[in-house]
Structure formats: C-alpha cells, structure tokens
Amino acid sequence: MGTTDRTKKLVNMLSELLLIMATYFFCGVIRVYLPYCRFFAYSDTVTFGYLAVLYAAAFVLINYLLGGYDSLKFAGMKKEVPRIVLCELLGCVAMTSVIYIFRLEQFSRLLLALTMVFSVGVLLVKRLVVSHFYMKYSQTKGHFNTLLVGAGAATARLAQSLLEDPEGELRYCGYVAEAPFEGMDGYLGRLNRLESQIRTLDIKKIIAMQQDVSEETLRLVVTAGEKSGAEVLLAPSFGAYLSSQSRVKLVGGFRTLRLSLFDTSDILGVHVAVTDMEKTVALVESQLENWRGEYICVANVHTTVTASEDEDYLKVQNGAVMVLPDGGPLSAYSRRHDFAEAQRVTGPDLMLRLLEISPAKGYRHFFYGSTEETLELMEKRLAADYPGLQVCGMVSPPFRTLTAEEDAEIVHQINEAKPDFIWVGLGAPKQEIWMNQHQGRVNGLMIGVGAGFDYYAGNIQRAPMWMQKCSLEWLYRLMQDPKRLFKRYFYTNTKFIWNTIFRGK
C-alpha cells in the first residue's frame, strides 16, 4: 500500500472516530431535553466521555478488520448498513463489558441506545458524501494518453474536440491510419505501428470511429488493446440514437462503447476471464497468431490469494492475455457478481480439448516441465490417443535455477521446434513466473497447466466428476497429499473466504 493510500485510510478512520464521539455528546444534549428525562444532567455525559472513546475506537478497529476502510467508495446500502450495525453492536459489547466489570451502573443505557441509532445515520451520510466527492475527484484528476485509430471526418472531429479540451480526462497523442487525413494533426504512421506506438506513448485509451475503420482493423485494435492493457472504445455510427441507459460513455461529444475480446471479473485484484470451455477454445484458435509469444495463466484459490499478497506476482498474473478460472470457487464468485455465463475452465481440460482437435488442424505442441519419466509416459499415451498429433519437443528442466546459457539453449530449442502451443507444467507460482520471463522470447502460445502432465501420465488421479462440478477437486487433492497441501489449502482457502465473503473484496 502506498503512502497516499495509508494516509487516506488513516484520515478515514480518524474522521469516523471523531464523528462517533461527536454523536455521543450530541445525544447527551438530546437526552436532557427528552420528556421524562429532565432529571438527567449533561455533566453525566461529559463524565463518561471516556466510554465514548472506547466505543468509537472499538467500532473503528472492527470496521478496519472487516475491510471497511479499504476504499472510499460507497459499497451500497445492502453492504454498508449491515457492516455499520455489526460494528456498532460489537462496539456496544466492548463498552458494556467495561461498564459491567467496573460496575458503572450510573451510566445511562438510554444514552448508549441513542448513540447507536444516531451514529448509524451519521456514518451512512458521511460515507455517501465522501464517496460522492471521491468519485467526482477520481474522474477528473487523471489524464489518459489517448490514441485514435482510423482517419475520416468523424475521427478528425473527435481529435479536434480532444485538442480543445487540454484539461480533460483524455490527452490526445495522435492517430494511426493507412494514410494521413487532410486537416488532421498528429499522424503517427500506419496500422502496423499500432503496438509500438501504444508502448512508446504509454497509451491508456484507444478510440475508433466505426464509420472510419473496417471490421478487420477493429479486430486488430481490440487485440492490441488486450495485449497492452489499454482500454478500447468504439464510437458507433448510430451512437446518436443510443439510449443514455446503455453502457455508453461520452467522449468529445461522441457516445462510445467499450470493446474487449472477453469480460473479466476482478477477484482480489486478478483479472479472471469470464468464459467457458467452448468460448476459450474458439478464442485461442482465432487469436493464436496474435498471441504468439504471450501466455495464458490458469488461476485457482491458491494462486489468486498469493497474487493478492504479492504485487510482483499479481503483475505476472495480469500480464497474461487470459487468466482462466481453473478453480471452481473463482467461476462461482464471478457468477455471484452478475457474470451468469462464467464457467470453470481447467488447464488439463483445455490441454485435452486442444490436443483432440490438433491432428485435423495441424497444430504443433511442445511440453516443458515435470520429470523425464512423466514425459516418456505422456509421449506414449499421446501417440496412442491422438494419431497424427505433432509433438515437436519435450523438455524436463532441472529442479534448480537455470543458468543464462541453459535458458538460452531451451529458448533456442523451443523456437527451432516451431510450436503453436507450449504447455508449461512447472506448478504455481513457478510456471507463471517462467512464462512471464519468456514473454516475447518464444514463438508459441504458452499455457500453464499445473499438474496437467501428471494427470495425463496417470501419476495423479483426478477427482471424480461430481467432485469437480461441486468445486471439491481441491479436497480430493488434499486427501491424496495431506502433508504437503494441508497448510497451503487451510491458509489460502480461509483467506479467500474471508476476503471475498466477509470483506466483500
């Protein structure tokens, strides 16, 4: 967490501490003027002020532990109200415990009840107001380097609109097209320079006007955006007639739609693909040439929790062109968050599906990882199960860090074999780190499959289908190797449940 984030969290906590204390003293005034309560003196409220400090501190601490200060955004009434009430009740327990232990019977229970009721409303209003101004500030504080694609009258108008608003969110950096457009400034070259310009100019937004680009160009732009992490926006030619209720955004007076190859669900910071097996296979086939040198991760609870606690590993995961929901809880999480079509796609299953269609398609496969014995078993079984399959190489690396020379030799061996798919079975997180380090160095699409080699060779039995469908494959693995996996599963599964269910991340 950066210094700015820590400061925001600290200020947020301190403000709620002071608000609860202020509410307590305000309720002391109300109590004095309530009917039948005039015999209470305001001095009682001041005398027991230290109990208000305890109450407020307990509330803030519990809310902090529940993740209530992780963001300044208002999470909605359904989440905020129960969280505030729960923290209030636990704060009340802490306060009444002190009252009971030290026999402070003279403290007014009515004052405590008033404080609880009023502080719920005060805190809700505070969070709504802070969230409103935070979102408004967030939308205007940043500048996103923006690249336009295509050339034509509509694109020229958009470019002019962005240039006339230098203080706006989008900073115009130029346009790429097959040829310059008369009267339009900022020509950066042809479309074959798109990816290099995105990297050079640190482009965050790419905008295309539908009437000025072809469908083929649009596909190329979306692929480039997926690779670089830039957001791709399309201004449709019928934009003026779209309802404001649609998922549109106004950019320079034009309505735009966000384009991507697939939706992603943010799970503890990891951008997990919303997909199923059929969509994944179709997408991999269609993007194979564009994704050469890239990699696909298969994520489960263990890798997701690990990534959430390790910034470098999180970058490795999100640096993939796709992060597949290998673990059942990940696809279940996505379905609970409005992605009804999300399904589990495991690395071993994806490998088998692509192997199955490869003889007819002519795809070439390279296998990297596991032991020599396992690879030999795989080679025999592959020849029997998939006649005509092109296996162009198998390497079992040593179980140690490779020297630069050894690594260069393996890269050379892989590229000489000219594979379409490079299956990496090193186990997490080693395989994801290896793929990230070799991004752009090898000419095939790398896909991490974890224990996929051992499953296929028969070294490890996969869980029965009913356990896979019930997201219990991890339990079957645990029963097979409890000594190695118990600590990992206990920690990561508990952390995943805590963060996704109780903390609402």
Side-chain angles (χ1 to χ4, degrees):
M1 185 187 297
T3 304
T4 304
D5 290 335
R6 283 196 294 269
T7 302
K8 280 193 294 189
K9 183 176 284 192
L10 187 61
V11 170
N12 200 12
M13 293 167 67
L14 184 61
S15 67
E16 295 204 343
L17 181 79
L18 296 174
L19 269 176
I20 293 172
M21 291 172 60
T23 303
Y24 166 81
F25 288 107
F26 175 71
C27 290
V29 175
I30 293 177
R31 186 192 61 159
V32 171
Y33 290 99
L34 283 175
Y36 309 109
C37 294
R38 295 183 184 279
F39 55 88
F40 287 113
Y42 188 73
S43 58
D44 294 340
T45 303
V46 177
T47 301
F48 292 103
Y50 63 89
L51 289 177
V53 177
L54 173 65
Y55 178 81
F59 174 92
V60 169
L61 177 61
I62 295 161
N63 196 49
Y64 170 79
L65 293 174
L66 292 176
Y69 299 113
D70 288 348
S71 173
L72 295 178
K73 291 188 288 185
F74 191 74
M77 287 292 185
K78 287 184 179 180
K79 285 189 177 180
E80 296 285 4
V81 172
R83 181 183 287 161
I84 291 174
V85 171
L86 176 62
C87 294
E88 294 273 7
L89 290 173
L90 294 175
C92 178
V93 169
M95 191 175 180
T96 51
S97 297
V98 172
I99 293 171
Y100 176 77
I101 293 169
F102 294 99
R103 301 180 182 278
L104 305 174
E105 289 87 356
Q106 64 270 40
F107 179 75
S108 171
R109 275 57 171 175
L110 175 61
L111 178 56
L112 176 58
L114 287 171
T115 302
M116 288 183 65
V117 172
F118 274 82
S119 59
V120 170
V122 168
L123 290 171
L124 278 174
V125 171
K126 174 259 176 186
R127 293 186 184 187
L128 275 168
V129 171
V130 169
S131 179
H132 171 75
F133 285 103
Y134 171 71
M135 295 301 292
K136 196 171 182 180
Y137 170 73
S138 298
Q139 291 169 0
T140 58
K141 70 172 183 176
H143 290 284
F144 299 99
N145 290 346
T146 303
L147 180 71
L148 304 188
V149 174
T155 307
R157 289 201 307 273
L158 177 57
Q160 187 60 36
S161 175
L162 296 177
L163 286 169
E164 289 173 356
D165 186 20
E167 299 303 318
E169 181 185 53
L170 306 183
R171 181 185 288 118
Y172 176 63
C173 294
Y175 72 101
V176 293
E178 289 307 306
F181 186 76
E182 186 177 352
M184 187 174 173
D185 296 328
Y187 182 62
L188 297 173
R190 304 181 66 180
L191 286 166
N192 59 8
R193 298 197 61 205
L194 177 61
E195 289 189 28
S196 65
Q197 292 293 357
I198 291 173
R199 288 193 299 270
T200 303
L201 300 173
D202 191 25
I203 297 298
K204 300 301 181 186
K205 306 271 185 180
I206 305 170
I207 305 177
M209 308 297 292
Q210 187 178 20
Q211 58 264 55
D212 292 340
V213 296
S214 65
E215 187 175 344
E216 182 181 353
T217 298
L218 206 52
R219 286 200 191 96
L220 184 126
V221 171
V222 173
T223 301
E226 295 287 350
K227 281 186 178 180
S228 64
E231 184 180 35
V232 179
L233 300 175
L234 171 70
S237 54
F238 51 86
Y241 307 103
L242 287 174
S243 165
S244 60
Q245 300 298 318
S246 303
R247 292 183 179 182
V248 299
K249 182 177 181 180
L250 284 173
V251 176
F254 293 89
R255 295 184 182 274
T256 60
L257 299 167
R258 185 180 183 278
L259 299 182
S260 62
L261 292 174
F262 50 87
D263 284 325
T264 59
S265 175
D266 191 305
I267 307 179
L268 303 185
V270 179
H271 307 319
V272 179
V274 176
T275 185
D276 57 31
M277 183 60 75
E278 298 305 321
K279 288 180 184 176
T280 302
V281 171
L283 185 60
V284 167
E285 285 199 90
S286 67
Q287 295 298 315
L288 181 57
E289 293 306 314
N290 294 321
W291 284 357
R292 288 186 180 277
E294 302 293 336
Y295 63 97
I296 292 175
C297 291
V298 289
N300 53 32
V301 169
H302 171 64
T303 61
T304 304
V305 171
T306 302
S308 73
E309 297 175 339
D310 184 334
E311 187 175 344
D312 290 335
Y313 187 52
L314 180 64
K315 289 178 181 177
V316 167
Q317 286 276 345
N318 288 336
V321 290
M322 262 188 117
V323 180
L324 297 175
D326 183 274
L330 302 188
S331 54
Y333 176 95
S334 298
R335 288 193 296 274
R336 289 198 306 271
H337 289 76
D338 300 327
F339 293 107
E341 68 277 24
Q343 297 295 327
R344 184 185 183 203
V345 181
T346 74
D349 288 340
L350 177 62
M351 183 175 76
L352 295 181
R353 287 294 297 274
L354 288 172
L355 290 174
E356 183 182 344
I357 64 175
S358 289
K361 303 276 187 177
Y363 295 141
R364 296 166 61 83
H365 298 265
F366 196 101
F367 297 86
Y368 181 79
S370 197
T371 64
E372 292 284 358
E373 294 76 16
T374 298
L375 293 180
E376 287 175 9
L377 289 171
M378 284 185 63
E379 188 172 18
K380 291 176 183 177
R381 187 173 173 187
L382 288 169
D385 291 348
Y386 307 105
L389 179 71
Q390 298 185 55
V391 177
C392 57
M394 288 184 164
V395 170
S396 173
F399 289 90
R400 58 171 172 78
T401 304
L402 299 178
T403 65
E405 292 76 16
E406 288 173 328
D407 186 62
E409 175 57 34
I410 287 173
V411 170
H412 176 74
Q413 186 176 345
I414 291 172
N415 289 336
E416 280 289 301
K418 298 181 180 178
D420 295 297
F421 296 99
I422 304 163
W423 301 100
V424 184
L426 299 175
K430 188 176 179 181
Q431 67 190 14
E432 288 80 25
I433 295 171
W434 187 90
M435 292 189 294
N436 177 263
Q437 290 173 343
H438 291 79
Q439 188 176 28
R441 295 180 59 196
V442 295
N443 295 328
L445 173 61
M446 297 172 279
I447 305 177
V449 291
F453 293 1
D454 287 312
Y455 283 141
Y456 187 71
N459 297 337
I460 301 175
Q461 287 293 115
R462 284 200 75 178
M465 189 54 66
W466 70 267
M467 293 189 79
Q468 294 182 40
K469 289 181 177 179
C470 295
S471 301
L472 293 175
E473 191 165 9
W474 65 271
L475 180 60
Y476 192 83
R477 289 285 311 279
L478 178 61
M479 290 188 295
Q480 289 177 311
D481 192 1
K483 187 176 180 180
R484 185 175 68 89
L485 297 176
F486 177 79
K487 184 177 179 181
R488 175 203 291 186
Y489 285 169
F490 178 79
Y491 175 77
T492 55
N493 287 13
T494 302
K495 195 94 178 209
F496 183 81
I497 292 169
W498 174 256
N499 283 329
T500 58
I501 296 178
F502 293 103
R503 296 186 68 186
K505 283 192 173 183

